[in-house]
Amino acid sequence: MPDPKAKIIVVEDERIVAWDIQQKLERMGYEVPSVLSEGEVVFQKAKEYKPDLILMDIHLLGQVNGIEAARRVYHELNIPVVYITAYSDDDTINRAKLTEPFGYLLKPFEERELRTTIEISLHKHKIEQKLRESEKWFSTTLSSIGEAVFATDTEDLLKFVNPSGEDLLEQDAKKLLGKPIAEILPEFLLTESEEHKPITLDSKTAIAQKKFKPFVMKLKNGNEKYVMHVRSPILDHRENRLGTAIVVRDVTREKLQDDEWQKLNDRLLRTQKLESLSILAGGVAKDFNDVLKSIMSNTDMAMIELPQTSDSQTYLKKIEETTIRATELTNQMLAYSGHGSFIVQSIELPEIINQMSHLIDSTIPENIRLNYNYGLQSPQVRVDITHIRQIMLNLLNNSVEAIGDEQGQITIASGSRMINEYDEAIEFAQGDLLPGLYAFLEVRDNGCGMDEETEGKIFDPFFTTKLVGRGLGLAAVLGIVRGLEGAIQVASAPGKGSRFRIYFPSHSNPDEMDVITFRNE
């Protein structure tokens, strides 16, 4: 049965024929809101009545023929058109085909033939409408998703790219469409290998859990992005390949966030390890120091009681020397733990360097050139001068050993820097600094440098790259710096030397020169 609600406009310049068609349509249950004879008014009436179908004669009164009227009605209003004409020549048919008609009836035609053509045309239009809606739905979805989507044809020419794809490539889609996909995407997104195997469509769980290795994608403008991808063939109902769909997810932000999280986690673990070791070292050093005091006291008493000519004096002297060396070691352990004694005073760092310049010069071999570089501003700091000297000698000794017998240079520098809460350019070896003005002391060399693994261990107690250890070294330096509320920044790479920069908080009252003693418990 025909749809009784279907509205059909008849466009026919012969009145009797038009009347006859209207009668037939109404007998079949269709609504005919208008019968027209001129092509000029078709578009306006179609907008007014919004018919489901138009029966259009090709030859009409006026300057606009049926083909021109049908083209505008279909493409602008999406109303299907069925031609009714007495002409069946090739030229007329070819011109009519360009407007994508839904049917073609030759006059005269039977009522049954008319109804069949109308019903098929209405059904075809409904299917077409659903297809267009589906295409619109998918197009909107693909344009809205965050992943970059690329689709090619059988010749691997790019036929579709969504806005996320433009953002990924940092290029305009108009410049990409029609180009070979191999010129647009890197090879690892287009070929399959064990190293660059795409995630399959069944790997949703793995994707959600981030169990994948992102690949580095280098853009033509030189930028690099981390990506993961899915690739799948586009097949027809006969399993013939129509093209390829490639979905690429930009995971650069996630990768950087993961790297940053890992870096922060490593710093936290390193800080916790250093804190645990410092507590252990402090406890052991205090107890061991008490034992050494007892040994030293009894040794002194024995040396006093025994005659100076006694053979035992030689052994007691060795005990005394060994005890003194052990005491120095416990003092280093106390310094590392932050429980050492500090006699602090306000002073500028360049002044300390100048005071020990003769000592520094005597420790530097002839194959190494020594440079001094003082900043224009050097705020006063409250530090223990003896400990600063110990820090300097430790760092210089490491630089000398890093250079070895080769020609090299060491630079001692000082300066100041304002540290703010959001300063991401500085990564400290342990902990962070409060915002404020800091003076820094720097020792850098062009020696052998360190890899990341070595750099991560240099502040561990008794860690050394030498065959024979030499005590706490940099671990004691870190303890001293922490005790003075400072921080250490390390930069090094194999073959490119090392730089140690130590920050100390600026003293707020530079005129105050008092000397105090405190113990950082």
Side-chain angles (χ1 to χ4, degrees), residues 245-299:
I246 304 169
V247 181
V248 183
R249 177 180 294 178
D250 184 353
V251 295
T252 304
R253 180 178 298 177
E254 291 89 337
K255 179 68 167 57
L256 295 178
Q257 288 175 346
D258 287 347
D259 290 347
E260 184 64 24
W261 181 89
Q262 187 63 47
K263 189 181 296 182
L264 291 174
N265 189 54
D266 291 343
R267 289 180 62 187
L268 177 61
L269 292 176
R270 186 163 64 247
T271 301
Q272 291 174 339
K273 180 179 71 174
L274 292 173
E275 290 290 346
S276 299
L277 289 172
S278 67
I279 293 172
L280 176 63
V284 171
K286 284 183 178 180
D287 293 341
F288 192 52
N289 215 25
D290 293 338
V291 175
L292 291 175
K293 288 178 181 179
S294 177
I295 295 173
M296 181 65 76
S297 176
N298 285 290
T299 301

Side-chain angles (χ1 to χ4, degrees), residues 64-284:
V64 179
N65 60 36
I67 293 177
E68 293 176 2
R71 180 185 294 110
R72 189 180 181 193
V73 165
Y74 179 62
H75 289 289
E76 295 186 31
L77 302 179
N78 191 29
I79 298 174
V81 174
V82 172
Y83 287 120
I84 49 175
T85 181
Y87 301 92
S88 61
D89 58 281
D90 292 340
D91 181 62
T92 301
I93 293 176
N94 288 333
R95 286 192 299 116
K97 284 167 59 177
L98 296 176
T99 63
E100 304 175 60
F102 281 69
Y104 198 95
L105 282 170
L106 287 176
K107 303 175 185 176
F109 45 79
E110 299 292 332
E111 186 172 318
R112 178 184 297 274
E113 186 180 359
L114 175 62
R115 182 171 59 183
T116 301
T117 302
I118 291 173
E119 288 301 312
I120 291 176
S121 299
L122 291 174
H123 180 68
K124 179 182 176 183
H125 186 249
K126 287 181 180 179
I127 294 175
E128 186 182 84
Q129 282 290 92
K130 290 181 179 180
L131 180 61
R132 287 188 177 186
E133 291 173 1
S134 178
E135 289 177 347
K136 184 65 176 178
W137 190 89
F138 281 112
S139 176
T140 303
T141 301
L142 291 175
S143 298
S144 302
I145 63 175
E147 283 76 14
V149 180
F150 304 90
T152 69
D153 58 14
T154 54
E155 297 180 356
D156 291 327
L157 301 178
L158 185 64
K159 290 299 180 184
F160 174 82
V161 57
N162 67 344
S164 295
E166 295 180 86
D167 294 339
L168 176 70
L169 299 177
E170 299 179 10
Q171 294 188 60
D172 189 351
K174 295 179 180 178
K175 299 179 180 180
L176 301 173
L177 295 177
K179 289 187 176 181
I181 193 68
E183 296 180 7
I184 300 171
L185 298 180
E187 185 179 357
F188 76 83
L189 294 177
L190 309 176
T191 59
E192 185 168 332
S193 65
E194 286 301 318
E195 181 182 3
H196 292 135
K197 190 173 183 179
I199 296 172
T200 65
L201 296 175
D202 298 327
S203 301
K204 295 178 181 178
T205 304
I207 294 174
Q209 296 177 351
K210 295 186 178 180
K211 294 181 179 179
F212 59 86
K213 177 184 176 182
F215 303 116
V216 178
M217 176 178 174
K218 190 167 185 177
L219 305 181
K220 291 187 177 181
N221 59 11
N223 293 339
E224 290 186 348
K225 296 184 178 182
Y226 291 94
V227 299
M228 54 171 283
H229 70 291
V230 176
R231 190 177 63 250
S232 179
I234 303 172
L235 306 176
D236 64 13
H237 65 287
R238 295 179 179 176
E239 298 296 313
N240 295 320
R241 177 177 170 273
L242 299 176
T244 302
I246 304 169
V247 181
V248 183
R249 177 180 294 178
D250 184 353
V251 295
T252 304
R253 180 178 298 177
E254 291 89 337
K255 179 68 167 57
L256 295 178
Q257 288 175 346
D258 287 347
D259 290 347
E260 184 64 24
W261 181 89
Q262 187 63 47
K263 189 181 296 182
L264 291 174
N265 189 54
D266 291 343
R267 289 180 62 187
L268 177 61
L269 292 176
R270 186 163 64 247
T271 301
Q272 291 174 339
K273 180 179 71 174
L274 292 173
E275 290 290 346
S276 299
L277 289 172
S278 67
I279 293 172
L280 176 63
V284 171

Side-chain angles (χ1 to χ4, degrees), residues 310-322:
S310 173
D311 293 338
S312 297
Q313 288 284 355
T314 302
Y315 299 109
L316 291 172
K317 190 66 176 177
K318 289 183 178 179
I319 292 174
E320 183 183 44
E321 291 174 355
T322 303

